[in-house]
Amino acid sequence: MDPLGWILLTTFLISLLAWIGILTAFLNEELLDQILLVLVALAAGALIGGAFLHLLPRAIRAYGVDNTLPLFLALLVGFCLFYVLEQFIHWHHHHETTHERDAVSYLVLFSDTLHNFIDGLVIAGSFLVSVDVGLVTVAAIGLHEIPQEIGDFGVLVYGGFDRFHALVLNYLTQATVILGGVVGYALTSVAGNVPNVLLPFAAGNFIYIASSDLIPEIKHEENVRQAALYFAVFVGGILLMLGIKLLRHTVL
């Protein structure tokens, strides 16, 4: 399969994760919270492992060990972009005085649309480097999207949307990952170094999401056994990325 085929297939599969929110109709809140936190721990480990074991080593190889400044600048841009985006969301949330829940819901839709479009760009760039890097990137993004999509669905319902419209809107925002994939592929014909730029950029995204959004959700657990479980699952996410690397015998 050529890179465009992989890009279209995997971004389409990623888009389908938006429908996972329907699970909330069949699980009680306590059980759902427990499952979500385990998924959050796994996603955090996968994102950290994907960034440090796959994307950054491959980017260093592409840029060369004597030319790492552009690499780390791209990493910082990726990190800072999501920081600014998240601050924008929080600022509007705290300063909205009327119809607060509806405003937050629309901001979630906006931020998810941008986030998913960027994910599509990253996936495209990764597959244009190699199928191995693309599959690792898709795995890390997919594991992160599962708990996020469940959470986003809950926010939309809380904001006043009925379950059906919340699911449809959630999918429409998630589907922009496909558009991002197509745009990312098209950009390569204009600027051939786009995939190499996106590797450290994606690593910055991954590191920010894991360290700022996911790990804080699990690190304050007071129950020792539960905290140990979350840490074990977090390490499991890292080992999953390491296992993929070893299994594929890819030197990144």
Side-chain angles (χ1 to χ4, degrees), residues 24 78-79 90 93 99 110 113 126 133 151 162 166 183 222 224 228:
T24 59
F79 189 97
H90 286 319
H93 174 75
H99 305 294
F110 168 77
T113 298
S126 299
V133 174
D162 59 63
V183 170
E222 296 181 357
V224 176

Side-chain angles (χ1 to χ4, degrees), residues 124-143:
S126 299
F127 275 112
L128 289 167
V129 171
S130 74
V131 173
D132 291 344
V133 174
L135 292 175
V136 166
T137 302
V138 168
I141 289 175
L143 287 171

Side-chain angles (χ1 to χ4, degrees), residues 125-196:
S126 299
F127 275 112
L128 289 167
V129 171
S130 74
V131 173
D132 291 344
V133 174
L135 292 175
V136 166
T137 302
V138 168
I141 289 175
L143 287 171
H144 162 59
E145 287 297 323
I146 293 172
Q148 177 175 308
E149 291 305 317
I150 295 176
D152 289 346
F153 174 74
V155 170
L156 294 177
V157 172
Y158 175 77
F161 294 100
D162 59 63
R163 289 179 181 270
F164 174 76
H165 286 96
L167 282 170
V168 171
L169 288 171
N170 214 26
Y171 178 73
L172 291 176
T173 60
Q174 185 70 13
T176 55
V177 69
I178 303 173
L179 177 62
V182 173
V183 170
Y185 180 81
L187 285 176
T188 306
S189 62
V190 178
N193 64 341
V194 168
N196 289 337

